[in-house]
């Protein structure tokens, strides 16, 4: 296994999370909807505990938690569900740098008659809350703004955005997929109405996530279910509950919350070391997403004169990414880097590093050395680099 | 505690669990282009191929992984209804369908995207495929393989013939069938088939929609190019591999599983008969082995299963999916419209590969003592 520095795409499962899941992969196999026997009760109790863990980690109530198969499904439910409940028409405010799951759902709703405002971001990757507030209109039924960006790690001030949205009576949905368990989220306190997250970005298993929906409060939040048949999850999401996965999500968030501050400090120091080495030993580099509020484990760098795909090929020992994993099958340049005001050339030489819980100082030194050597080698072949 | 609710969910086969945990610790996202990502992609494609081969589907590209059967049913029905321009989609179905199909259809009907045409249901537990009852404008046949409450296998040969004759697609929910009846999808001839791993000793959280009809669906969960743009979201390599392993075992061990289940059923019914316990079998047409729905005269299903649970015997009143509230079974109500007591009394006993003869004998004794 190469040095894995792509934790924004997915994270390794923490052995402690797997340990929490194991009873539900062995003897406690009941269907949580089997209300008439003890196998079912046991499963339902485990789901209730996980619900409380997810609520505690997001500052919401256990009843607000709707388990899904992941963040993509959760975001689809939030956006398409509110748009359908708004019965065609109305207005959504979002941002150009959101994850494709949000942008695609918004684009589909736009084709169905919803107006969509896509706010720009600043060259440092930040988004001013005032800009969000100014975009709200009388018929805005949803604002969808991510808590932290999945490519450049910049953090948006969700507390302020939520407060401004609440003043205008607009529910705020935040995509917390990259931030859950890494920075605080206080849904109730801040007035965030919906948040989406995924277990596998926080050392939990793949195949499970949640949409946290605070339906109470004003104005009433209406959501049309997108998966019917059985009436699970208060009718918002049908289907047999993935009990081991849900237990894993709860455990993963609980562990991440408990270790949040020390882990952020540790990863921040490692990330700073990586940045210092790259910028100290190479020239013609530029960091993407320089806003001060940034995830501690993210670093996104443009290596000028080096095609990022060629760089990835040149250092197969280091697993990094050229953009978000969901779109990296496509050769398109990153929409986030373009949104910073850069051209395609810049986007095509940008690389995302994502550190994680199992990243060691040795990993960082080794990865830095390998990347630096590869960049020098590739630039050696580049006529453009020599010409500057 | 003994478990007789294998139609609700099955314990994870330890061999399947081993496959699932083999790569559990690795950060595998098949959409990533680096080495771990490429490895994830290979493992996912391999699992897709294994699953397709196990269920007799020649083209592995016709497998779309989902989070389970309910999502697969929603993808099929919403995907077809959304793609059907020029008026609502006319769907021919019956009251026997699982709630994930039935309730989704009802929701689509409420919002005018679907018009429902219900086939009559016989007391033997089968929908009656009467050609005359099929309207001209029919655009979809929705008929399950084996029913989840009675285990009765539907007349799938007639369904295939009818769909072909009318030139309409056929959606077939085969969740209960895998591992209990032979299942060769290319022979079955359905355009879309719904499968779920956890009904066949695989993990919860994964299922699929499979068949040549995938191409005509409008995707429902979007925002990523996964599953050939049919279903966005990071796929789980461990779950997909475990699903494939469960399907392979279900097919490899089909003969011995059927024999075991049939022997258990025989033993159980013999015990009840010996004790003279009065009961009626709901669904007399050929059934899945080890799958019984029984009504006990004068006994309500819920009272029965609660009494059984107090004796440590886990059975179920119909399907597990009616969360919280145990409603009267729409399946039995359709089969026995004139016998409300029978319809309200159906208790489902579904045996599994690890159920023992001793367990079913004790279950029979417990039933006799409750009666």
């Amino acid at each position: 296994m190469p040095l894995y520095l792509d934790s924004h795409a997915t994270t390794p499962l923490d052995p402690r999370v797997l340990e929490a899941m194991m009873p539900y992969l062995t003897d406690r196999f009941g269907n949580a909807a089997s209300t008439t026997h003890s196998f079912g009760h046991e499963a339902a109790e485990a789901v209730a505990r996980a619900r409380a863990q997810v609520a505690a980690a997001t500052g919401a109530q256990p009843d607000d938690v709707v388990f899904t198969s992941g963040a993509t499904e959760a975001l689809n439910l939030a956006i398409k569900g509110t748009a359908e409940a708004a019965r065609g028409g109305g207005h959504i405010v979002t941002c150009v740098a959101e994850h494709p799951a949000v942008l695609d759902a918004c684009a589909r709703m736009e084709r169905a008659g919803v107006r969509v405002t896509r706010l720009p971001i600043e060259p440092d990757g930040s988004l001013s809350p005032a800009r969000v507030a100014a975009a709200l209109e009388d018929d805005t039924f949803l604002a969808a703004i991510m808590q932290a960006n999945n490519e450049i790690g910049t953090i948006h001030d969700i507390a302020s955005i939520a407060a401004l949205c609440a003043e205008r009576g607009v529910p705020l949905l935040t995509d917390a997929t990259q931030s859950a368990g890494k920075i605080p989220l206080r849904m109730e306190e801040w007035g965030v109405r919906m948040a989406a997250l995924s277990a596998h970005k926080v050392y939990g298993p793949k195949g499970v996530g949640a949409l946290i929906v605070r339906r109470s409060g004003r104005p009433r939040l209406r959501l049309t279910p997108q998966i019917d048949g059985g009436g699970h999850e208060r009718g918002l999401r049908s289907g047999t509950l993935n009990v081991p996965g849900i237990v894993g999500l709860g455990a993963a968030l609980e562990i991440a919350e408990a270790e949040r501050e020390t882990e952020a400090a540790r990863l921040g120091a490692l990330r700073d070391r990586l940045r210092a080495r790259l910028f100290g030993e190479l020239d013609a580099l530029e960091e993407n997403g320089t806003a001060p509020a940034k995830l501690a484990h993210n670093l996104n760098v443009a290596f000028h004169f080096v095609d990022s795909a060629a760089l990835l090929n040149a250092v197969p020992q280091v697993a990094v990414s050229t953009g978000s994993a969901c779109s990296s099958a496509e050769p398109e340049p990153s929409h986030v880097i373009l949104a910073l005001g850069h051209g395609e050339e810049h986007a095509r030489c940008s690389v995302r590093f994502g550190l994680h819980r199992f990243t060691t100082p040795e990993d960082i030194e080794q990865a830095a050395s390998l990347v630096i050597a590869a960049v020098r080698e590739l630039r050696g072949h580049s006529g453009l680099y020599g010409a500057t | 505690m003994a478990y007789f609710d294998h139609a609700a969910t099955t314990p994870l086969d330890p061999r399947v669990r081993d496959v699932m945990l083999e790569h559990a610790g690795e950060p595998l996202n098949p959409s990533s282009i680096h080495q771990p990502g490429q490895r994830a992609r290979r493992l996912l494609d391999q699992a897709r191929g294994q699953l397709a081969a196990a269920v007799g589907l020649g083209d592995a590209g016709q497998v779309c992984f989902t989070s389970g059967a309910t999502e697969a049913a929603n993808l099929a029905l919403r995907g077809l209804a959304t793609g059907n321009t020029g008026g609502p989609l006319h769907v021919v179905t019956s009251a026997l369908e699982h709630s994930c199909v039935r309730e989704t259809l009802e929701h689509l009907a409420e919002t005018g995207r679907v018009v429902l045409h219900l086939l009559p249901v016989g007391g033997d537990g089968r929908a009656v495929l009467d050609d005359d009852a099929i309207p001209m404008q029919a655009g979809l046949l929705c008929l399950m393989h084996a029913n989840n409450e009675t285990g009765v296998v539907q007349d799938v040969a007639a369904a295939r013939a009818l769909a072909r004759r009318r030139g309409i697609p056929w959606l077939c929910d085969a969740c209960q069938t895998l591992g209990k009846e032979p299942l060769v999808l290319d022979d079955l001839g359905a355009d879309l088939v719904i499968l779920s791993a956890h009904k066949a000793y695989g993990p919860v959280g994964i299922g699929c929609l499979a068949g040549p009809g995938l191409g005509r669906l409008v995707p429902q969960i979007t925002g990523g190019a996964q599953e050939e743009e049919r279903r966005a979201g990071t796929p789980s390599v461990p779950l997909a591999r475990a699903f494939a392993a469960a399907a392979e075992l279900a097919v490899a061990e089909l003969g011995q599983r059927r024999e075991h289940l049939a022997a258990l059923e025989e033993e159980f019914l013999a015990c009840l008969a010996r004790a003279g316990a009065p009961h009626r079998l709901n669904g007399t047409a050929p059934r899945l082995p080890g799958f019984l729905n029984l009504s006990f005269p004068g006994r309500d299903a819920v009272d029965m299963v609660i009494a059984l649970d107090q004796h440590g015997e886990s059975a179920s009143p119909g399907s597990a999916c009616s969360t919280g509230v145990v409603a009267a079974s729409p399946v039995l109500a359709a089969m026995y419209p004139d016998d409300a007591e029978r319809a309200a009394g159906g208790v489902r006993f579904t045996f599994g590969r690890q159920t023992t003869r001793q367990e079913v004998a004790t279950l029979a004794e417990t039933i006799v003592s409750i009666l």
Side-chain angles (χ1 to χ4, degrees):
Chain A
M1 179 61 84
L3 289 166
Y4 186 77
L5 292 176
D6 195 15
S7 62
H8 300 289
T10 190
T11 56
L13 184 65
D14 189 310
R16 294 171 291 177
V17 174
L18 180 58
E19 200 184 327
M21 294 167 65
M22 278 311 278
Y24 302 92
L25 294 170
T26 48
D27 301 334
R28 303 183 196 170
F29 58 83
N31 184 327
S34 296
T35 49
T36 54
H37 55 67
S38 45
F39 288 92
H41 299 155
E42 205 169 51
E45 282 161 21
V47 170
R49 276 194 300 276
R51 217 181 279 288
Q53 288 169 314
V54 174
T58 53
Q61 296 298 320
D63 280 352
D64 298 336
V65 179
V66 177
F67 291 111
T68 66
S69 66
T72 298
E73 186 200 323
L75 292 165
N76 271 263
L77 169 58
I79 295 167
K80 296 175 181 174
T82 48
E84 271 182 39
R87 292 174 184 280
H91 179 232
I92 296 180
V93 173
T94 185
C95 170
V96 287
E98 292 291 311
H99 188 274
V102 167
L103 294 175
D104 187 273
C106 288
R108 282 170 200 264
M109 294 306 97
E110 193 171 36
R111 292 203 282 278
V114 175
R115 297 189 329 286
V116 178
T117 299
R118 296 170 183 84
L119 296 169
I121 51 173
E122 302 300 327
D124 66 354
S126 63
L127 172 69
S128 135
R131 205 192 267 275
V132 178
L136 303 176
E137 296 177 23
D138 289 342
D139 61 346
T140 307
F141 62 83
L142 184 70
I145 305 291
M146 67 197 338
Q147 193 177 18
N149 187 273
N150 56 306
E151 294 193 32
I152 56 175
T154 44
I155 296 167
H156 299 320
D157 181 359
I158 291 303
S160 299
I161 295 171
L164 291 168
C165 287
E167 261 175 44
R168 291 289 301 271
V170 174
L172 174 69
L173 159 70
T174 193
D175 173 3
T177 309
Q178 296 292 339
S179 54
K182 314 228 167 72
I183 55 173
L185 175 60
R186 303 270 168 267
M187 290 183 68
E188 218 162 77
E189 187 186 322
W190 298 348
V192 178
R193 298 299 294 275
M194 292 191 280
L197 53 83
S198 170
H200 79 98
K201 308 281 191 189
V202 59
Y203 313 99
K206 270 169 272 291
V208 64
L211 180 68
I212 300 128
V213 189
R214 294 180 49 248
R215 279 198 285 193
S216 58
R218 287 161 62 90
R220 252 192 81 199
L221 187 58
R222 291 173 187 279
L223 201 57
T224 304
Q226 301 295 300
I227 296 182
D228 285 313
H232 308 72
E233 298 296 276
R234 293 180 294 143
L236 284 176
R237 204 288 188 180
S238 292
T240 299
L241 288 172
N242 175 357
V243 178
I246 286 167
V247 168
L249 172 60
L253 283 174
E254 191 171 271
I255 292 168
E257 277 299 304
E259 302 177 350
R260 180 158 49 75
E261 286 175 26
T262 49
E263 185 62 0
R266 188 185 79 87
L267 289 176
L270 288 180
R271 186 265 317 271
D272 292 348
R273 170 67 185 162
L274 176 62
R275 184 201 278 132
R277 279 207 58 194
L278 295 177
F279 281 77
E281 297 175 41
L282 293 169
D283 61 358
L285 301 193
E286 212 171 326
E287 182 168 355
N288 297 313
T290 50
K294 191 170 158 103
L295 293 173
H297 60 292
N298 172 278
L299 181 66
N300 194 310
V301 177
F303 296 89
H304 289 300
F305 312 107
V306 176
D307 181 78
S308 58
L311 179 59
L312 260 62
N313 276 331
V315 276
Q317 312 91 311
V318 184
V320 289
S321 143
T322 55
S324 93
C326 298
S327 53
S328 58
E330 310 153 29
E332 295 293 309
S334 154
H335 72 288
V336 176
I337 306 298
L338 296 182
L340 294 172
H342 296 298
E344 289 201 10
E345 214 40 55
H346 182 109
R348 286 193 198 283
C349 60
S350 293
V351 171
R352 177 182 70 178
F353 298 85
L355 284 59
H356 58 85
R357 189 174 282 166
F358 308 103
T359 305
T360 65
E362 296 72 42
D363 291 345
I364 291 302
E365 297 305 331
Q366 206 184 337
S369 299
L370 287 163
V371 169
I372 289 163
V375 169
R376 284 184 180 144
E377 171 75 16
L378 290 167
R379 281 179 174 173
H381 304 307
S382 161
L384 284 171
Y385 176 66
T388 59
Chain B
M1 279 195 302
Y3 186 74
F4 305 108
D5 200 9
H6 289 81
T9 193
T10 56
L12 187 61
D13 187 319
R15 295 167 294 180
V16 174
R17 184 168 58 238
D18 288 346
V19 170
M20 184 170 158
L21 297 183
E22 201 179 344
H23 301 286
E26 297 173 38
L28 297 175
N29 185 334
S31 307
S32 295
I33 58 174
H34 47 57
Q35 281 197 347
Q38 290 169 21
R39 179 176 157 76
R41 162 68 63 179
R42 274 197 305 276
L43 290 169
L44 183 67
D45 288 344
Q46 210 175 61
R48 198 187 307 279
Q50 281 175 297
L51 174 63
V55 298
L57 194 61
D59 180 1
Q62 293 180 359
V63 173
C64 175
F65 286 116
T66 64
S67 65
T70 299
E71 186 198 322
N74 275 264
L75 171 57
L77 296 170
R78 290 165 181 266
L80 285 170
T82 314
N84 190 61
T85 48
L89 178 67
H90 287 258
V91 181
V92 176
T93 185
S94 86
L96 298 178
E97 293 298 307
H98 185 272
S99 60
C100 71
V101 168
R102 198 181 58 240
E103 290 180 19
T104 303
L105 283 172
E106 283 165 4
H107 169 82
L108 291 167
E110 277 164 27
T111 49
R113 285 178 281 176
V114 148
V115 176
L116 291 179
H117 304 272
L118 291 184
L119 295 164
V121 170
D124 65 350
R126 302 211 290 188
V128 183
L129 284 159
D130 178 4
D131 228 346
D132 299 334
I134 316 283
M136 278 305 292
Q137 65 279 48
L140 173 68
L141 173 64
C142 214
L143 188 95
M144 70 198 323
H145 199 284
N147 181 266
N148 57 298
E149 293 195 29
T150 63
V152 167
V153 179
Q154 301 298 309
D155 191 350
V156 288
R160 177 181 57 218
L162 187 143
R164 292 222 172 126
R165 205 158 51 238
R166 291 303 192 90
I168 59 173
W170 167 30
L171 170 66
C172 182
D173 166 9
C175 286
Q176 294 291 345
T177 310
L178 184 62
K180 291 176 227 139
E181 281 282 317
L183 191 62
V184 178
L185 298 193
D186 283 338
D187 295 345
L188 181 67
D191 296 84
L192 290 166
V193 176
I194 301 167
L195 292 172
S196 170
H198 78 99
K199 306 284 189 192
Y201 308 97
V204 273
I206 190 156
C208 73
L209 186 63
L214 283 179
R216 66 166 83 194
L217 300 179
V218 175
Q220 297 298 302
I221 298 180
T222 57
Q226 295 93 349
E227 299 297 300
E228 307 295 322
E229 303 199 22
R230 289 172 185 137
R231 196 276 187 183
T234 305
S236 166
V237 170
L239 289 178
R241 294 188 77 238
F243 185 9
E248 282 185 337
L249 286 167
V251 173
E253 297 178 354
L254 182 66
Q256 73 191 71
R257 286 189 192 179
R258 282 176 61 80
E259 221 168 277
H260 175 67
L261 291 170
L264 292 173
E265 180 181 321
E266 199 183 309
E267 173 79 19
F268 176 61
L269 289 174
C271 288
L272 285 182
R274 268 200 302 276
H279 63 270
R280 281 192 290 188
L281 175 67
N282 299 321
T284 48
R287 280 173 293 114
L288 299 175
F291 200 127
L292 293 155
N293 191 310
L294 305 179
S295 288
F296 303 94
R299 298 287 177 154
D300 179 76
V302 177
D303 295 343
M304 271 306 282
V305 292
I306 288 171
L308 283 166
D309 184 48
Q310 284 163 355
H311 289 82
E313 315 278 22
S314 299
S316 142
S319 130
C321 288
S322 326
T323 347
V325 189
V326 182
S329 156
V331 170
L332 298 186
M335 286 163 61
Y336 309 115
D338 304 321
D339 192 342
E341 186 189 289
R342 185 175 188 177
V347 178
R348 182 179 72 177
F349 302 95
T350 47
F351 307 145
R353 62 180 198 97
Q354 285 170 309
T355 309
T356 64
R357 292 175 82 102
Q358 183 55 52
E359 281 178 330
V360 299
T362 308
L363 171 65
E365 283 168 28
T366 308
I367 291 169
V368 171
S369 75
I370 291 170
L371 295 176

